[in-house]
Each structure stands twice: as C-alpha cells, then as structure tokens.
Amino acid sequence: MKEKDIQRILEDVKNGNINVENAMGKLKDLPFEDLGYAKIDHHRGIRNGYPEVIYCEGKAIEHIQGIVEKMLLRNNNILATRADRKVYEAIKEVCDDVKYYEIARIVVVKKQEPEKTKNKILVATGGTSDMAVAEEAAITAEMLGNTVERLYDVGVAGIHRLLSHKSKLDEASVIIVAAGMEGALASVVGGLVDKPVIAVPTSVGYGANFGGLAALLAMLNSCASGVGVVNIDNGFGAGYLASTINRQIEKASL
Amino acid sequence: MKEKDIQRILEDVKNGNINVENAMGKLKDLPFEDLGYAKIDHHRGIRNGYPEVIYCEGKAIEHIQGIVEKMLLRNNNILATRADRKVYEAIKEVCDDVKYYEIARIVVVKKQEPEKTKNKILVATGGTSDMAVAEEAAITAEMLGNTVERLYDVGVAGIHRLLSHKSKLDEASVIIVAAGMEGALASVVGGLVDKPVIAVPTSVGYGANFGGLAALLAMLNSCASGVGVVNIDNGFGAGYLASTINRQIEKASL
Amino acid sequence: MKEKDIQRILEDVKNGNINVENAMGKLKDLPFEDLGYAKIDHHRGIRNGYPEVIYCEGKAIEHIQGIVEKMLLRNNNILATRADRKVYEAIKEVCDDVKYYEIARIVVVKKQEPEKTKNKILVATGGTSDMAVAEEAAITAEMLGNTVERLYDVGVAGIHRLLSHKSKLDEASVIIVAAGMEGALASVVGGLVDKPVIAVPTSVGYGANFGGLAALLAMLNSCASGVGVVNIDNGFGAGYLASTINRQIEKASL
Amino acid sequence: MKEKDIQRILEDVKNGNINVENAMGKLKDLPFEDLGYAKIDHHRGIRNGYPEVIYCEGKAIEHIQGIVEKMLLRNNNILATRADRKVYEAIKEVCDDVKYYEIARIVVVKKQEPEKTKNKILVATGGTSDMAVAEEAAITAEMLGNTVERLYDVGVAGIHRLLSHKSKLDEASVIIVAAGMEGALASVVGGLVDKPVIAVPTSVGYGANFGGLAALLAMLNSCASGVGVVNIDNGFGAGYLASTINRQIEKASL
Amino acid sequence: MKEKDIQRILEDVKNGNINVENAMGKLKDLPFEDLGYAKIDHHRGIRNGYPEVIYCEGKAIEHIQGIVEKMLLRNNNILATRADRKVYEAIKEVCDDVKYYEIARIVVVKKQEPEKTKNKILVATGGTSDMAVAEEAAITAEMLGNTVERLYDVGVAGIHRLLSHKSKLDEASVIIVAAGMEGALASVVGGLVDKPVIAVPTSVGYGANFGGLAALLAMLNSCASGVGVVNIDNGFGAGYLASTINRQIEKASL
Amino acid sequence: MKEKDIQRILEDVKNGNINVENAMGKLKDLPFEDLGYAKIDHHRGIRNGYPEVIYCEGKAIEHIQGIVEKMLLRNNNILATRADRKVYEAIKEVCDDVKYYEIARIVVVKKQEPEKTKNKILVATGGTSDMAVAEEAAITAEMLGNTVERLYDVGVAGIHRLLSHKSKLDEASVIIVAAGMEGALASVVGGLVDKPVIAVPTSVGYGANFGGLAALLAMLNSCASGVGVVNIDNGFGAGYLASTINRQIEKASL
Amino acid sequence: MKEKDIQRILEDVKNGNINVENAMGKLKDLPFEDLGYAKIDHHRGIRNGYPEVIYCEGKAIEHIQGIVEKMLLRNNNILATRADRKVYEAIKEVCDDVKYYEIARIVVVKKQEPEKTKNKILVATGGTSDMAVAEEAAITAEMLGNTVERLYDVGVAGIHRLLSHKSKLDEASVIIVAAGMEGALASVVGGLVDKPVIAVPTSVGYGANFGGLAALLAMLNSCASGVGVVNIDNGFGAGYLASTINRQIEKASL
Amino acid sequence: MKEKDIQRILEDVKNGNINVENAMGKLKDLPFEDLGYAKIDHHRGIRNGYPEVIYCEGKAIEHIQGIVEKMLLRNNNILATRADRKVYEAIKEVCDDVKYYEIARIVVVKKQEPEKTKNKILVATGGTSDMAVAEEAAITAEMLGNTVERLYDVGVAGIHRLLSHKSKLDEASVIIVAAGMEGALASVVGGLVDKPVIAVPTSVGYGANFGGLAALLAMLNSCASGVGVVNIDNGFGAGYLASTINRQIEKASL
C-alpha cells in the first residue's frame, strides 16, 4: 500500500471513477487473508520475491496442513521450518512435490526453481554438531535465491583448519558463522574479513553453556567489528538476514 | 600476507635474490607495529579503506595520546570512540584538526574527507534518550564513507510517527534501529521493510530493563526476519556493520 | 465477616440472644470448609459472583475429584484450569454436564448460564501459537460473565494486520494481549488506545527467549503507558484481572 | 485520524473542495510536532484528556526546557517525572506556576485544575521506604483527574495494620500496591478484595533483592488473582494504568 | 574424637599401656567405614541420636542396597529420601520392616521407635501442591524424634484461613513454612509469631516462578525477622534444621 | 489481641459494662500508632521483650528523628541499623545516651540493660572483611538479650584455624556463620556440630561473586544439614533469628 | 608445522630440490583430513603423544562410526567420551578391542598401552554422586599416560574423612576435585596443599543449585589460591588439564 | 603439623621428655597468630616458600598497617594486592622499602630477592585494557619466584598478531591468558599449544558483557582442552596458580 496507490485511489475518487464507499474499502482492504487461526500474508511473497514460510514448532498438524493448502492455491514456493518427520508426512498428504531436509528440519515445496545469485553466502561452523543450525541457514538462503557455500568444522581450537580455507572467506559476500560452546569462531572470522558476518550461536555444549547463552554473549561481545547476531539456534533467521543483504548486493550489481 | 606474497618470496629464494634467513624473517614480519602496550595495525586502515579506530574506555590518557601520535604519522583519519571531554582535550594537545561530537562521545581527526556512498544508511531511534547511541552509530558510519540519514523519536507507543515516515525506510539500503525499554521498534521496522536491519539495544530504561537486557532479548527474539543484533549501547558496532553492508552494495553498484 | 455481622453478634450478646461461648464460636467460624488436603472457600463464589476455580497442575486426580464433588454440593459453576485430557475424564466420572476446551486446557461445569456484560473484553494475540494462552484467558473471562471478542495473529511483523482492525480495539473496554517472542504487540496496542491493556507474555519462542522471559521483560518495559502484566502463560490470570476491571465498569454503568 | 476524518477528506476530494495534492497532505499531516530531538504529540493530551508528560531521566536540561516551552504554547497541564531538583529549577526558569513534589520527584505545571472522579484509587505501601514510588503513583493519578487515597506502611510483617484498614480497601475502585523486599502485600491485598490491584515492585531492600527483582517475581507469581504488575519503581506507570481503569468506571457511572 | 580421648591415649602412651605405633593408629582410626563408593559415618547416628540418612537421587540401585545392608548391621533407624517406588522396592528386597511414604518420597526402616518431644514443630503450607515438600519435612522431623503438627493450604490469598488457626502457630516451638508461587506465607507467619520460622520455597508455580526462584528470593527478602531459608524443595533440610532447634529446646526443658 | 481479650470484651458487653459501640472500637483499636509516614508498633517491643528497631537505609533523616522521638516516649531500648555517621549524629540531637557501633553501622539507645542468657550464640566469620556483617549480627543479638561470643577469620582456606577452636563451637547453642567468597565455612561448621547454624552470605569478594550470590547459593546448597540461610549481608536478620532460637532454649531451661 | 619445517622447505627451494609450486603446496598442506562432516586432526595425536578423542554427544551414530574407522587406520588409541551404551555398541561393530566404562560414559580403544607417569594425579570427590564426573576425569587422565589415584566421598560435611587421608593429598602432583552442591571441597583441599588443584563443579544437587551453577560460582570464588576451574560436569576437561600439567612435571623430572 | 611431628611428640611423651599436658598443648599449638581482627598464618610463608599476601580491598587502613607490621617482624617478603594509592602510602608509613606497581595495584615489600625459575610463565592479553589484570598476574608470579614473559594486545580480531609470536607460546611452561569482551583468546591459545593455559576473564567490555560474565562463560566453554579458569579480574589467582604449576615443574627439573 504505497503512496502511489493512495494517490491513484484519490484521483479515481476525484474523477468519479469510484465512489467514496469503494475508496474507503480499498484503503482498508489490506492484502492478507484470514483463516481464523492464522492471517496469511500472500503479498509478502510477492513483495519480497521470497517463498512463503511456515514456522511449524508449536502449531497443530491440522493447522499446518490448512496453511499449506491455502498457500498452494497461490502457487508460491513453501519453506516449512522446525518441521519434524511427522510434520513432513502431514504436508506430503496435502501436496505432491515435497522434499524433506532431515538435518535442517526443513520441508520444501518447490513450485518454481529459485534463481541463483552470483554473489555467494558462505556458511561456516565451529564443529560437526553445529550442522543442524548451519543447514537450516544454508537451505533457507538457497530457497531465497542465493548461491551458498559450506565450510564446516573449522573451530578455533585448530585455527589452521580455518586459515587454510581463507580463500573461501575471501570469495563470499556475506558469511554466516554457526558456533556453539564459546562461539569464538565469529570473532576470528570477523577479524579476517571486511564483510558482513552473521553470527548464530548454537546450543551445542553443556554445563555453563546454559543452552547457548555462552556463545550468544561471546558473539555480542565480539572484539571484531562487523558482526551481527541472531537468536540461539536461529538458522532460519541467519539465512534470511544474509539473504536480505546478499540480494541487495546482487540487485546493485545488475 | 597473501598467497602472492609468499609465492614471490619463495621465488626470490629460488633465484637466490634473498637467502633463507631473510625469507624466514619476511615470512614472519607481519604488518603491525609494537608500542609495548598496544599493537597498532596500520595495514588495517589500508586493507579496509577505513579510518583507524581507538576505543578509549579504560585506556590511560597517555596511552591514547601515544596511539594517536603513532597514527598521525600514517596520515589516516582517526575515530576515537567512548571519549569523554578529558580524552578530547588530551588528543587536542597532540593534534590540531580535532572535532568533538559530545553526544556521540566521539573524537574525529579528519586528514582526508571520506567519500560518500550513493546508497543510504538510515539511523532510527525509539526515543530522544537513545540519541547518544544513535549518534555514535551515525558518525561512525559517516566516517566510514557512508551517506547517513537520521529518523529519531519514532517509538512504537505512537506508531503513526513511524508510519508517516515510511518513505525514509524505503529509501535506505540498510537501517539501524537504536531503541531501549522494550526495543519493539526493531520488530516493527523489520516487518515494514525487506532490507537488512541492524538492531542496537540501548540501556535506556530502568527497573526490569536490567541495563538494556530487556531490549536485547526482545531484539534477538524479533518476530520479524532480517534483523541482526549488536551489543547493548554499541553504536559503533552498529555503524560499522551497516557500513560493511552498505559498501558492499555500493561496490556492486559501481 | 463484615463489620455489620460483628455488630449484630455483639448486639445479640448484649440482648442475651446468644451467650459468650456461642459468640466466640461465631466470630471464629469462618466460611471455609476443610477437606484435609485443601481448604475450599465456598463463600468466595458468593462473594465474587464468580465460579469456583481449581488449578489442576500438580494436583492428584483423586484430590481433583474430591474437590469437584464438594463443589457440586454448592451448585456453583466450576472452572478447572491447566486440565489435561486425563483430568477432564476424571471430572466426567463424578459429574455429568462437563465441557472440555482442549486448546485452553479448561474443564467447565456450567450449573447456571453466566450473564453477559455489555462492555467487551478483547483478546488479541501476536501469532497462532499464542492461542492456547489466549483461549485460557477468553474462556475464563466468559465464565466470569464477560462478553469476549477475539483478534488473533495480528503480530507487529505485519503491522497492517493490526491497524486494519483498529475498530475492534476501539470497541473494547479492556484489552488482553497475549504474545510471545519479543512481545512487542502489547506496546503497539498500548500506544493505539487509551484503555487498560493486560499483557500476558507467552513462552512461545526459542533460544534467548528463555521460556517467555524476553516477552515478559519487554512488556514490563513497555514504552506505552497503561499496560499491566501478568505471569508468563498465565491466561487465567489475565482473564480474571480483565474481568475484575470490566465488571467494575459494568456495575458503574447500571 | 479517525475513519470519519478520512471519509470527509475523500468527500472533499470528490466534491472538488480540495485537490489531490492537498488531500495527500492532509492524510499525512499527522498531529505531532517535530523538535528535531523529540516529536511531541500534542493531540495525545486532547485525545486522552490527560496532561502532557515528560520523562526527565537521561534527557539534557536544555532539551527538557525546550519541550516544556513548546508544551506551554498549548496551555495543557504538564507532568514531569523523574525530575531531580536541578530539573525543577530549569523548568522554573521557563515557566511560572511550577510545583515540585520532592519525594515523588515530580514537577507539575497546572494550567487548569483537573476534575476529580467520584470513584477512588487507593495507594498502599508495605513500608515507609516505598513512599517515593507510591507518591509518584498518587500524584500521577491525581493529575490525571482521580480522587486518590493513601494507606502507607501496612506491610505483611504486621498483618493487623492492614486488616484494621480493611474498609479503605473496600471503598476504593482500584488499588495500587507499592512494596519492596518480598512484595507480599500485593498477594494479601489481592486476596482481600475483588477489584483490580496494580502491583508496583520497588527496589527497596538489599542483597538478594537484586534491585527489586525479588518483589517483581513475587508479584508476578501472586497466588491471588486479579493482580497486574508494572515495572520496578514505575510509580508513574501504576498511576497511569489505575487512572485508565478508574476513568472507564467513572465514565460508565455518568 | 574428643579432647579426652586424645588425653587418654597420651596417658596410655606415657604409662606404656600402648606403644607409639598403636597410638598413631588410634589417633588416625576415625569412626567411618569405607565401602569404596561411599564412606558411611556410623558414629554420626550415635553422635546425633538420629537415624542414618540416604539421599537416593542420582545413586545406583545397587549402591543404595549396599549402603542399607551395611547400615542394618548397626541396627539404627534408616531414612531414605528422594526415593521413588523403584528405590522402595529395592530396599524392601534387602530388609523386612520398610515403610514407604509415597507423597513424601521417603522410605523408612524403623528399628526402634523414636521418642517424641513435648515441644512441637508445626509444618504449614500455602497450597495443596506444596504437600510433597511439606510431608518430606514432617516425616523427617518425626523420624528425628519430634512431635509434628500439620497445617496445610493456608496461603495468603485467603488470609482468614491462616488467622483462624493462629492458636496452632502459638502452640508450636518451631514453624516450617513450605510455599511456592510468591512464597508470601513465610512473611505473614513470621510477622504473627516470635519464634523461629524455617522457610522452604517449593518449585510449585510456573512461568516467571523459574522453578522456585520467585519463592526463594521472596523468603530471603522477608520483611518479617526471624526467618531462615533452606534450598528449594528441600523438605528434608527444613525438617532437619527444625529438629536441631526443637531438640535443643527439649534438652533445655529436661 | 488474644482470645482472652475478646472474651473479656464480650463479657463486658453482656454485662452491660460497655456498650456495643465501645466494644466495636475496642475490637478495632489495634495497638499501633500512626505517624502518617510510619506506623510504629509499640506493643511489638512488649510482646517480644525486644528493643524497638529502625531500619535506617532509605529513610529521611527527619523521619528517623521523628520515629526515635516517638519511641523514646515509651522508654524502650532502640536499635537503629544500617545507620551511617550522619544518622548517628541526627539521633544524638534528639536523645542523650546514644552509642554508635561504627563497623556494625548500628546506633543503640539503651534505656535498660538487656539481661544476658546463659546459652551462648557464637558468631564466626570466614575473613576479616566479613566483620561488618558479623558485628551487625553480634550487636543485634546482644541487644536482644543474648550472650554472644565471636570467632573471626577462621575461613576454610586454613582449616586448622577453625579446628583449633572446635571447643567454641561445642559451647554455643546457636552458631551464626558470616562468610563471603564461596561461603564454604557454613558447610564445614554445619558438619562439625549438631546444632542450628544460621548462615549469612556476605557480599565480600569480586568478579563472579556477583555481590554475594556465590556465597548465597553455596549456603543454600550446603551438603551439611541443619543450616538456615538469611539474605546477603543481613547481619541483623541472622542475629534476630539466632536470638529467637536461643531465647526459646533459654526459656525452656528456666 | 614448526619453524624448522619451514626452514627445510625454504632450503629445498633454494637448492632446487623442490619447485615453488610444490613448496607452496607443502606450506599449505596442513595435517588434517576432511570427511565432509568433520575434519580429523591426526597429527594432534602425534604432536601431543595423546589418544585421539571423540566427543560423542550430539553426533549421529553413523558419523561416530565413520570417524572411528578413519582413526583406526592411523592405529592410535581412541577415547570416546559422553558415550552411552548405544554409542558403545556402534563402535564395537567397527572395531574389536573396545572397552566400555559405563559410569564414566567412556569408550576406549587401546592400540598400545599408555606409559604411566611416576608423578600422580589424585581425583577426589565430595560425594558418591559425583563419581560419574570423577571417573570421566580419572580414565581420561589414565589414557593420557598418567598414574591416577582416587579418593571418593570426602565432602566437607564430615571434614575428618578428608583430613584422615591428608597423606594422599601430599603424595599427588596435581589434584582434581569434583564436587556438586556447594562445591566447598575445592576450597578446603586448596587450603591444605601447595600444588595445582583443578576444580570441576558437578550438576549434583537440586533447587537453587541451578544445574551446577552454585558449585561453579563457589569454586571460582574459592578463598584458597591455586584453584583452576573447568566447566560443569567436564570431567574430560579436568583430566586433560591435569594431564597437561602432570606430563610437564614428568618431562622435567626425566 | 605433619605425621612425623606427632610421632616425635608421642615419643617424647613415652620417654617422659614432656608430660601429657605439654603434649596436649603442642598438639593444639597451631602455627598462626591472632590479631583479634585477623589470624595471620606465618608458617604459610615458610610452608610455601612464598611471600605473605594481603588482599587489601575492604580492609581498613589501620588493619592493613597492623598486619604489615606483624609480618615485618618475620622478615618475609610481602605482596599487598588490590591496593590503591592510599593503601600504598599507609604501608610506606610503617615500612621503608616499599614499591608500588600502579597499573597492577600491587604494593611489594621485598626483604629478599626471590630466586628465578628457568621455566617461564607467559602472560598474554587480548587488548591493552586487560593490562591491569595481566600485570597483577605477572607481578604476583614474579614475586613467587617465577621468570615471567609478557605478550600483550594479541587478541583474535587480528589473529596474525598472535600467530607471529607463536615461538613465545612454545617457549613457556605455563601460559596465562587475560582477556575481556568475548574472551576468545584463551581458546585460540589453547588450540595452539599442548601445555597448561590459565584463563582469567577480565571485566573489560560493556553492555551484554555483564561485568566479565561473557568472557567467563566463553572460557569455561572453551572448545580447546587444557584450559583452567579463575575468577573475573583475578590476576592474583591466575599468577598464583601458574606459579604453583611452574614451581612443580622447576622442582622436578632440579
């Protein structure tokens, strides 16, 4: 509902093309649909050029199915996150071309192939155990049209593992760092490059890790500048933010 | 110390241009300078095209003066953050063209005018009291070569104040949101745009605000996607991260 | 046990209608009943004009049945909260007209239809996942005799969803806002209206949400005035407080 | 900016009374004023029938003076909270009829006498030390047009002090309870009455009180229903919320 | 190993009754027994006149059986706390006269009837759900030889329930208060009596109760003097401490 | 206001000795006095046989003076805690026989010599820095009529210092342990004796001590039974609780 | 990749033994192997003279098997920690000589007997329940070539249990203390010896223990000097650190 | 008081060299001195071969002087930590050869030159602002007889600064890492060496650093093994622990 739309409506009123009542309706008729339990924002897909997203955790199976069915009518791609196997099977019941990424806990319905950016997003992890979060970020970013590269298990306890892949850092436009424990990888990567680093703390660790708090605080306090942090285990958020950045770069480079 | 440098040194060794001992030395002679109490990384300035930065809090006045004097020899711009008036006066003693931004607590030594990007960074605040942090972000971003616009006091308690400036949000490439109390502005802005939002929680508030913790947690848990968070009151970090993003966009658009 | 009662007892003593011993007994005979494991306060129902309430979590099935049976003798309505399906079935064993609200986890025994207020309570949620808490609030308020309207899934990430229903906010006397994640909806609603807003943080979210702490702190630090907060996930408490307010308004309007 | 206003503008456009450009302007010309550092919402006063409020903490003296001067032009009452003596003196410089409530840290400019409600707000405290917060609540409520009664130092360690004033609880429409330490007064009051209780935890206490956290948690977990909580030491917020409730009751009783 | 024992050993050495080596041994032969995985302190029972205690949580079934068998040889009473039904059955396998208190999760082996003190310990609870903790305290105190009275479900939301039993408070020598939620009962009881109150916070509650933290902080910050606090849900500790106090009083009264 | 008093009033009514109105008044005329800002409970002194206590922190100098003057009329002893030198001087202005205990921050007005118990309270500290809290406890206990012994600087880092004074532990009836840092002294003392131990964590320490939280948690989790904990730095509370216990023992021994 | 290796490569280049391209490769060919999901650092084993370690928690069974198979090719010893019985069985499938330490949750593959140091590491615990963590430490240290002695269940509630084994403390070079609850054992041991003490807090306890936080804070605040702390329940880390120290001592003594 | 001493006393008793009373005295006459407010442990100096230490924070100036004077009689070296300039001047009043290390806040009285170990302790810092803590560690270690090397300002944001000094890491026996902010330096150093690393988190940083908590948690969760952590800002503790380790190595190498 942009300024131009309002102007056009006003001009239609002036020209008698529509009456006041209709104009009132148009000004209020915002582009979302009401299922009772959920208001689906179809225009978001259009506005953003992005797939429609369902966050599945805590939603009833029937609700998820209802939302997917509504979305299918619009023929957009669908990205269902935090989806366990039961959710996957429920979606498969109402839809044919469904793909399940088990590690990332993501269900994808791909109605059209997302185009790929030239600029790359790199997803790096401290350890093997951070892979679930990293894959959630990577697949999210891919579904949002980005070229994604992975660089896993390069934590700082063996700094040579990271340094020997310095070129991968250099080739990316945006870097996502998923790390648990003390989350130091974000700082080291942030010090090696001069590009945006999205840090996503993972809950990997135990004891005084306090469910990812240690990594979260470490990343917020990074001595390297240029690091932005998302919520603990929020792979989707990291992938989305990185994509937002990368697509701006891509757009500018066209 | 790039791959090419190593290759050249190896070739010099092969050709007998330098001996092994010298090669060893060159391989180790990394580009930073040692003041004893601080190792200044001059090449960082060059590498990044950015001014040299001093974080003044907790540093002795004499140390700050020493660091500035060393930096002046390299003729780079200098950005001294968390600088109270005493620091400003100490720097003025060793340097002529010094400007003090009191609200932002920043001292600037400008040896050359930073170029300005076409793409804009918008800095928005929830309230008047968030201005110190917002100005730290804004001036940092400007010193890093960005065009910056300000939109202050548009907190969510009067949502029409923000909505009436929607066009400013639309014109920016990156948006910094500085907000204290419950920090809800980041979520609302994040929902209105499809571009990177850097959220910086401020310690403005009292009681169960716990020094900015309330806003920090709120921003990390934003229901809007595309929001990256920096440390509480870390205006510098927000400005730096936004600049890193904006300059990538600028570079791509050239 | 009001002043007048005491006065009457004293006069009875004076007039010799009752002896001192009896008077002592009356002064001490407070209106609650002792089951050993629970002291049921029957007069509360009368005093408040409200149903009798059982908080089921952590109570043994047999105890819940015992309490319900005692209550049934008084013929009041019964509201059993935090009741899972097993509790529902246990209550059904000792009582005929039982209704189970599964999402709200509430069991209702309705001996008499509660009257409906003219003034309305509006229950709004940020997302679909906050529905359990919101329904607990809504059904509680209805059982306490209030007219309740629902406005679900109007979170701030898509602010137009809320703004397009501004009239619902305007028509209510009291507004309950149930929201998880960063809980910003309470602030935005609080800024749009000039009436009491009861904010109930939900534990919906993950990571640095810390079981609802993020939303709780955000709501306590709301930049909008006129917001009162209840415990995390405490839909019952929100419904009860809103009812207390609404019935005072109703009473005044009679 | 209500529905009717929009309708009128649209009809004016239709009738050619105003052109599209003007209509655009009117639709955007929202009723707030821009001082650069603060956007003052004059219509809020009108909309709410309330004085204009300045939260002074963290604002520069010059900014406060500037805001007051702008407000004076509108001739509304002014309520400046968290005002120390320096703020009071600064306001006195730009304005004649200023009154300073030292304990409450409130400066009041009274341009017109606020009417008084018939329905009463009772402000109770646990101890003498909670008086600063209680007075902030009481004076706020008075300035917002309410009749206020005070009942101080009736903490639960001597429960007879509270019980002997039971009639004061019975006569009020809304009760504010300000208490520090373990904040138990809110629960006891909430159990004695069937009307809205606004609990405001104070930071009075030491050690494991953690700046009011103990009282805050206690109040949120009150075993009595009908208790809404505001931020630690937030006397203004308690007074404002109580007033919002009380004025709805008053309005209904007219 | 008291001063007199050492003196006697020294005199035996002097008199040649024992040689140096034996004296060394005696000085080191402290009265505990080594099972490898646990050092059982038999003399504690004697020293204290108390039963031997096993804290079962986190111990392997076989270890618990082993410890019980060793203890049985000494013919002392045994008190096994935090014992679920499986532990109870395991102990029954190695021992005949075993009694299981299910609510209190305590297994008792009574080899001799503990004498009963004249002075009483009163155990009070805020609600029915605090009964598990209260019973752990009560049975512990009984096994330690105390006369115990119970007063359950007298929480402050209905203060008359407590006040009508004031005489029970007056008759006790020590009072244990077990309460969850906001734990206010401890303060109210502490204000009504002038005798030691042992407060044990329970984890009953939800949301911002944080597993008993709210009640714990409230009790530590009690505005009533004379309240000592033990760990969350630590019924055993409360019963033990109350017993230590009560038996000193008993001893003095003999 | 005991049962007997009520009985007597009722009998007076019956006998026509007083009329109903007077009886009503007597039933309500509770024994406290109202200064406006503070309700002084004179009967507490009588009821408890204890001095009247003023907690000075956060109270205005004039209020403290007012309270003292009122108390002086009753001729009781006065114990003013958390009193800095300014408070001491203010009290001296309105009263002659004032003694100031600087380390303990206590002002004492002694109108009559408190009698001394035969049973002793021992106050032990971990280090010299815990002395302020320990002295607050010791002087409080003395003013409450107890014989007090001190055993300072016997922290567990040099366990022989404590063990060599084992006899002092054996001679006391109640032991107060004041310790900061890791607060381990409470556990060690609790393991050495079979009598009540009152543990008071002090805020002595730094870093991850978090203002006494480390010691507080340690004491609550003591592996020794029979330890009751009071608030951080709450020497008064420890002294009061210990006195409550000791006087019960004393009373029994008469 | 030591200085000498680089020197040799440079000399080979100089002498024409290898060409520049090969030298480049050698300088970059770092000694780790890439399995895709995990980068195994074989040289670490050699470098450290230590077994290769797998932290099993959160790793998929197939990944663990894959890592073990790769390791087996190098014929090093393997230490798999946090391994439940399922992991043990999975490893047994791909490898013959596997030993499972159930209490310690460790799987060991011993290809060569680790030599034993003369200097001893002592592992002490506060209670029987700390044994799992202590055994993880002990077996880790043994697999790393150390002579280990155990001293379990010597917590401070019965200080004589520890004192009677003082000689064991005296004979060790490094002492590991594993303790839960209030973790006071570390302080007492630290005060008795003048050698490094590695404190490992365990999550044994309940309530305000907060999963080991109480013991962690206590150990960090130990009043005894010479205590280093590792993460909660981190037996492996304690064993590893103790081994690092002990082997330096051993090396020096050769 | 070792086994041999006891044996000798027993033999003296046996031989009649001393009587029982004297033996009793000797067994109890433990080697510490009682100043009333502090028990000085002179033998500690002898036992450890270390200087006597005073922790000055929170101690009265007179007490510090008194302690120093007593210590001077024994002619040991003295190390007074957390000493501000006022403490320094107070000590200078009672003692001639005093040296003040201002950055480290340490006062040293050197009665004899401490010998120097061959094995080195390296003290590394992340930034210049960590220097106060690092110097406290370094001077403590030097006063305890160790050879100390410093490597300051080598934080991970510029990893090449650390890597170029790898040889310093290789030459040390024990490494102390003092770092604030996210404390990642400890992990990187721990990954580069196979020797004990003592990590000391500093309170350097702001916002969500929470006074050093971020660095503390990061260090406890280090993904590198072999890292032991001491309290926030506890330079003394780090220096002491490192010394304890280094002297064991030194002793073994003699």
Side-chain angles (χ1 to χ4, degrees), chain G residues 6-209:
Chain G
I6 302 177
Q7 195 172 5
R8 203 176 43 240
I9 292 169
L10 287 173
E11 274 162 4
D12 283 351
V13 169
K14 183 184 155 205
N15 302 335
N17 291 345
I18 60 170
N19 60 17
V20 167
E21 196 180 3
N22 279 349
M24 287 293 289
K26 273 176 193 274
L27 281 172
K28 283 164 93 185
D29 180 22
L30 287 159
F32 58 85
E33 184 167 358
D34 201 327
L35 290 194
Y37 49 81
K39 298 196 170 45
I40 306 175
D41 186 352
H42 291 304
H43 283 220
R44 188 166 196 140
I46 297 159
R47 199 161 23 108
N48 295 352
Y50 282 0
E52 302 193 72
V53 178
I54 315 170
Y55 176 75
C56 298
E57 207 156 284
K59 290 211 175 66
I61 290 287
E62 307 77 52
H63 286 182
I64 295 172
Q65 286 182 322
I67 295 172
V68 167
E69 283 172 321
K70 267 292 182 198
M71 285 175 169
L72 286 171
L73 300 179
R74 314 279 313 181
N75 222 35
N76 286 331
N77 289 342
I78 299 175
L79 183 74
T81 63
R82 303 283 158 123
D84 56 23
R85 189 156 274 280
K86 256 185 296 184
V87 168
Y88 161 56
E89 259 137 40
I91 295 180
K92 218 165 55 177
E93 279 176 29
V94 301
C95 173
D96 282 345
D97 348 305
V98 183
K99 178 148 183 205
Y100 187 44
Y101 296 88
E102 187 142 27
I103 290 178
R105 282 167 306 156
I106 283 181
V107 176
V108 161
V109 180
K110 215 186 268 179
K111 287 298 179 187
Q112 59 207 82
E113 194 57 41
E115 0 141 41
K116 287 287 165 206
T117 56
K118 280 180 316 174
N119 295 287
K120 272 192 277 188
I121 294 171
L122 179 72
V123 182
T125 72
T128 311
S129 322
D130 304 313
M131 226 167 100
V133 175
E135 279 299 305
E136 193 186 58
I139 291 163
T140 295
E142 284 171 348
M143 282 300 292
L144 294 171
N146 299 280
T147 301
V148 173
E149 183 143 12
R150 285 147 173 93
L151 176 59
Y152 290 173
D153 198 23
V154 291
V156 301
I159 197 80
H160 56 295
R161 295 183 299 182
L162 178 67
L163 297 179
S164 71
H165 289 96
K166 177 76 167 54
S167 61
K168 287 206 176 171
L169 301 179
D170 293 338
E171 290 159 23
S173 292
V174 189
I175 300 171
I176 293 171
V177 174
M181 297 183 160
E182 91 285 57
L185 185 58
S187 295
V188 175
V189 168
L192 288 171
V193 300
D194 188 35
K195 49 192 67 168
V197 173
I198 310 305
V200 49
T202 74
S203 56
V204 169
Y206 55 91
N209 177 287

Side-chain angles (χ1 to χ4, degrees), chain F residues 159-175:
Chain F
I159 196 79
H160 56 296
R161 295 183 298 182
L162 177 67
L163 297 179
S164 71
H165 288 95
K166 176 76 166 55
S167 61
K168 287 205 177 174
L169 301 179
D170 293 338
E171 290 158 24
S173 291
V174 190
I175 301 171

Side-chain angles (χ1 to χ4, degrees), chain E residues 28-181:
Chain E
K28 282 164 96 183
D29 181 21
L30 287 156
F32 58 86
E33 184 166 358
D34 200 328
L35 289 195
Y37 50 81
K39 297 193 170 47
I40 306 175
D41 187 351
H42 292 304
H43 284 221
R44 188 163 196 145
I46 298 160
R47 199 163 20 110
N48 294 352
Y50 283 180
E52 302 193 71
V53 178
I54 315 170
Y55 176 76
C56 298
E57 207 157 285
K59 289 213 176 64
I61 291 287
E62 307 78 51
H63 286 181
I64 294 172
Q65 286 182 322
I67 294 171
V68 167
E69 284 172 320
K70 266 291 181 198
M71 285 174 169
L72 287 171
L73 301 178
R74 315 277 312 180
N75 222 36
N76 287 331
N77 291 342
I78 299 175
L79 183 74
T81 64
R82 301 286 158 119
D84 56 23
R85 191 157 273 281
K86 254 184 297 184
V87 168
Y88 161 55
E89 259 137 41
I91 294 180
K92 218 164 56 179
E93 278 177 29
V94 301
C95 173
D96 283 343
D97 348 304
V98 183
K99 178 149 184 205
Y100 188 42
Y101 297 87
E102 187 141 26
I103 290 177
R105 283 167 305 159
I106 282 181
V107 176
V108 161
V109 179
K110 217 186 267 179
K111 287 297 178 188
Q112 59 208 81
E113 195 56 40
E115 0 140 41
K116 288 286 165 206
T117 57
K118 281 178 315 175
N119 295 288
K120 272 193 278 188
I121 294 172
L122 178 71
V123 182
T125 72
T128 311
S129 322
D130 304 312
M131 226 167 100
V133 176
E135 279 298 307
E136 194 186 56
I139 291 164
T140 296
E142 285 171 346
M143 282 300 292
L144 294 170
N146 298 280
T147 302
V148 173
E149 183 144 12
R150 287 149 172 91
L151 176 58
Y152 290 173
D153 198 23
V154 292
V156 302
I159 196 82
H160 56 296
R161 296 182 298 182
L162 176 67
L163 297 179
S164 71
H165 288 96
K166 177 77 166 54
S167 61
K168 287 206 176 171
L169 301 179
D170 292 338
E171 290 158 24
S173 291
V174 189
I175 302 172
I176 294 171
V177 174
M181 297 183 161

